[in-house]
Structure formats: C-alpha cells, structure tokens
Amino acid sequence: GDDVSSARQEIRPASTIVVPVVNAGRDLEKLPAEQAKRAIGSLLASEVRRAFDLANGPLWRARLFQLGPRENLLAFTMHHIVFDGMSKVIFLDELAEAYKAAANGEPFARPPLAVQFADFAGWQRERLDETALSRQLAYWKQRLAGDVPALATPNERPRVAGKGQAGSVHFNFP
C-alpha cells in the first residue's frame, strides 16, 4: 500500500559511476561572455528538468561540462530523497577533498563507517516497541485533543500561476 508502514530502505550494492562528459566549449568559445553564461544556464536547466526513474534509480546523476581547455563544470542533480541537509554537506566536503587529492595526484580513500544509517534506523525501531509507541501515541493524542489554534502560514497567500524551478545551489570548489 501507500501508507507509511510500507516504506522501506533499500541499500543497493556499490557500483562504478560513469560521468558523461559534454564538450560544450567549442560552442561557448564563440559566444560573448554574457551569452555563454546564459547558454551554460540553459544546459544546467535542461539537466534539472530530466526526470528520475523512482522505481529503478539511480536517484542522482552527474555530468561534466567542458567549457574550455582548462574550465569544467561538474553538475550533480539529485532527487530530494537522496540527501538530508547534513548528508549533503558531508558529501560535498568529501567531494572537495577527493578533488583536491586528485588534483595533487594523491590517492583518496575513506575507511568504511563504523555505524551505517541502517544501524541507526534499526536502533530507533527497537526503541519504539509496542509499549513505548502506545505511551507516546497516548501523550500526543492528549496534547492535541480539542480545538487546535489556526496558524497563519505562508500558504494562505495567493499562489503564482504556473509551476517553477526557482531553487538552485551553486558551489565553487578550490
């Protein structure tokens, strides 16, 4: 079913990642700087619009755009379910470390983590045995009983017509 009890974590085996390389430099070199910047924005926008296959994955992708002889842009696009905020920070920090090591001709390897997310999730599940869950559920039912005050939320304002892609993140690595 579609209820929460049917949600599950699936850990797939490690695999090699192939990052497609797009040589955009030939076309961009002919353009004035401002037009080239807009063209790069269009390349990235088309990357963001590509849908993910949620049933089969992968839920993220990378593409390297060669912009010039010594200028590249690495684009990561990921479904929002892939990272929480802290995981994204850790990923970007490790990516920057790996890039720095590669640029200096040094190896980059991380030892396996002693505790995986699945371990933590299992511990949380154990903590919520039937008694604890019943106790917490009773507490919240009591706290939320009766009239709940109405909240003024941003959703109460009229929405702009149409669907947009206003959000983005841009990182510059050394």
Side-chain angles (χ1 to χ4, degrees):
D2 288 338
D3 63 24
V4 175
S5 64
S6 67
R8 71 189 190 314
Q9 178 183 12
E10 182 179 321
I11 301 173
R12 295 190 177 186
S15 60
T16 301
I17 307 296
V18 176
V19 178
V21 177
V22 177
N23 187 346
R26 282 177 269 140
D27 298 330
L28 295 174
E29 289 172 350
K30 301 171 189 169
L31 298 175
E34 196 55 41
Q35 282 183 334
K37 188 176 178 181
R38 282 195 301 275
I40 292 167
S42 290
L43 287 171
L44 294 174
S46 68
E47 205 43 41
V48 168
R49 284 191 296 270
R50 286 183 41 220
F52 290 100
D53 181 348
L54 297 179
N56 300 306
L59 299 181
W60 69 277
R61 59 183 168 260
R63 189 169 293 232
L64 181 70
F65 295 97
Q66 292 180 325
L67 305 178
R70 297 189 41 86
E71 187 176 5
N72 298 295
L73 185 134
L74 179 61
F76 279 94
T77 309
M78 61 207 67
H79 190 276
H80 68 88
I81 200 168
V82 172
F83 290 130
D84 63 9
M86 194 62 210
S87 298
K88 185 168 40 175
V89 169
I90 292 167
F91 171 76
L92 292 171
D93 285 347
E94 289 185 2
L95 178 64
E97 288 177 35
Y99 179 82
K100 185 177 179 182
N104 292 326
E106 300 167 359
F108 177 79
R110 288 269 181 197
L113 297 172
V115 177
Q116 297 290 328
F117 181 78
D119 300 323
F120 178 76
W123 296 333
Q124 289 293 88
R125 206 173 302 112
E126 288 171 10
R127 285 186 56 213
L128 289 176
D129 64 10
E130 195 69 32
T131 307
L133 188 58
S134 295
R135 194 171 49 247
Q136 289 184 20
L137 187 58
Y139 169 81
W140 284 108
K141 281 184 175 181
Q142 186 269 329
R143 286 283 291 165
L144 297 173
D147 291 335
V148 178
L151 299 175
T153 65
N155 292 341
E156 292 177 4
R157 294 189 302 258
R159 290 180 176 247
V160 177
K163 188 170 151 184
Q165 297 283 340
S168 72
V169 177
H170 179 87
F171 292 93
N172 285 322
F173 293 110

